[in-house]
Amino acid sequence: MTHYQNRIERRFAELKAANRTGLVTFISAGDPDYDVSLEALLALPEAGADVIELGMPFTDPMADGPSIQKASLRALNAGQDMQRTLAMVRALRERENEIPLVLMGYYNPIYRMGVENFLSQASDAGVDGLIVVDLPPEHDDELCLPAREHNIHFIRLAAPTTDAKRLPLVLQNTSGFLYYVSSTGVTGMAAPTPERVEAEVNAIREHTDIPIGVGFGIRTPEQAKRIARFADAVVVGSALIECIEKAATPDEGTQAVVDLTRSLAEAVDKARKYQ
């Protein structure tokens, strides 16, 4: 397959040229239902997201904290499945064709659909990348390498527990960007210490030129601003999911997602703009 520059590559090149740190936002597809979730998805680019991660709901999201677990359950109870998630991507592409979109989740729903069938539909819909948290590098033949044939980046996670021996294997087939998990445990829990995370990210940079996005535990604009001073992108998920969970009405939830995204984008933009 002839390679063309993927939206993720273009976006990180644009960010680098502008000396900007990117904002990566995560919401779960179908939470609390398809229509409300689609409304939030369509609002994210204008609110300031540079990359969107769209969660593929799954019954056993073992790496996710309570907020994203509950979001997956709400979505599944409302009838969300892989076809409806891909329909959301197509709806986004009818409105916005430049923002990179990454599907994030677990291998089981992809396996059940069939890898080639999934990748073909995902590519046609306008998916740019995949984060599949339960497929380690030892299983790259399963999905990572086939995804590359469809010009879909396979974005790997690294963590404080990824030692020097393991890191080269993690980086080997990673493309698009590396998602650095800034704290151990599940998503949305302890806030990372910026000084420690910066040292860990700098250590990884000695081994790769790939952009590094930092996430897990980043909840506020101030936290995002501190991480943005050294990361190529800041990833926020659980805090956005909780906007939906805690809202009195669906419309209020969507507005809260937009407001927080806008505040995060402004904070991230200020972090490196005048350095």
Side-chain angles (χ1 to χ4, degrees), residues 31-41 43 240 243-260:
D31 174 34
D33 61 39
Y34 180 89
D35 291 335
V36 175
S37 181
L38 178 59
E39 186 179 352
L41 176 68
L240 293 168
C243 290
I244 297 168
E245 179 184 354
K246 295 175 180 178
T249 67
D251 286 346
E252 286 183 17
T254 300
Q255 189 59 52
V257 168
V258 169
D259 291 344
L260 179 55

Side-chain angles (χ1 to χ4, degrees), residues 78-143:
Q80 190 73 10
D81 58 19
M82 189 66 81
Q83 289 300 338
R84 299 188 93 186
T85 299
L86 292 174
M88 288 180 65
V89 179
R90 288 191 289 271
L92 174 70
R93 289 295 172 228
E94 290 175 5
R95 178 87 64 89
E96 221 291 352
N97 199 41
E98 294 302 315
I99 193 164
L101 185 135
V102 176
L103 290 180
M104 182 173 185
Y106 298 81
Y107 186 43
N108 181 276
I110 297 171
Y111 179 79
R112 288 177 61 193
M113 186 173 172
V115 168
E116 188 57 33
N117 183 27
F118 167 77
L119 289 174
S120 178
Q121 291 195 43
S123 178
D124 288 346
V127 172
D128 302 294
L130 293 173
I131 300 174
V132 182
V133 299
D134 56 346
L135 266 187
E138 288 82 359
H139 295 277
D140 276 355
D141 288 344
E142 291 269 339
L143 183 62

Side-chain angles (χ1 to χ4, degrees), residues 10-251:
R10 285 204 303 269
R11 181 53 50 92
F12 277 102
E14 291 164 0
L15 290 167
K16 185 176 182 180
N19 189 32
R20 284 187 55 229
T21 299
L23 174 64
V24 182
T25 56
F26 173 93
I27 61 170
S28 186
D31 174 34
D33 61 39
Y34 180 89
D35 291 335
V36 175
S37 181
L38 178 59
E39 186 179 352
L41 176 68
L42 295 176
L44 285 171
E46 189 175 343
D50 293 294
V51 179
I52 296 172
E53 289 178 6
L54 186 62
M56 300 178 285
F58 179 50
T59 53
D60 187 25
M62 58 189 178
D64 294 309
S67 296
I68 296 178
Q69 286 187 18
K70 287 186 281 187
S72 276
L73 187 60
R74 288 193 297 269
L76 292 169
N77 287 340
Q80 190 73 10
D81 58 19
M82 189 66 81
Q83 289 300 338
R84 299 188 93 186
T85 299
L86 292 174
M88 288 180 65
V89 179
R90 288 191 289 271
L92 174 70
R93 289 295 172 228
E94 290 175 5
R95 178 87 64 89
E96 221 291 352
N97 199 41
E98 294 302 315
I99 193 164
L101 185 135
V102 176
L103 290 180
M104 182 173 185
Y106 298 81
Y107 186 43
N108 181 276
I110 297 171
Y111 179 79
R112 288 177 61 193
M113 186 173 172
V115 168
E116 188 57 33
N117 183 27
F118 167 77
L119 289 174
S120 178
Q121 291 195 43
S123 178
D124 288 346
V127 172
D128 302 294
L130 293 173
I131 300 174
V132 182
V133 299
D134 56 346
L135 266 187
E138 288 82 359
H139 295 277
D140 276 355
D141 288 344
E142 291 269 339
L143 183 62
C144 172
L145 298 181
R148 300 276 288 276
E149 291 298 311
H150 288 266
N151 204 44
I152 295 176
H153 285 299
F154 201 86
I155 296 152
R156 192 78 70 190
L157 277 70
T161 52
T162 307
D163 60 25
K165 184 178 179 181
R166 180 75 176 168
L167 184 61
L169 187 61
V170 169
L171 293 172
Q172 183 176 325
N173 290 315
T174 298
S175 60
F177 64 95
L178 179 73
Y179 185 161
Y180 186 69
V181 177
S182 60
S183 56
T184 55
V186 295
T187 56
M189 303 307 284
T193 304
E195 294 78 13
R196 173 180 62 77
V197 179
E198 182 174 10
E200 292 162 353
V201 168
N202 287 340
I204 293 172
R205 288 196 198 282
E206 295 178 8
H207 301 274
T208 183
D209 293 328
I210 195 169
I212 300 174
V214 176
F216 276 51
I218 301 168
R219 311 184 64 83
T220 67
E222 185 53 43
Q223 289 173 338
K225 184 177 179 181
R226 289 198 295 268
I227 298 295
R229 291 190 178 115
F230 57 85
D232 297 300
V234 176
V235 186
V236 180
S238 293
L240 293 168
I241 293 294
E242 287 169 13
C243 290
I244 297 168
E245 179 184 354
K246 295 175 180 178
T249 67
D251 286 346

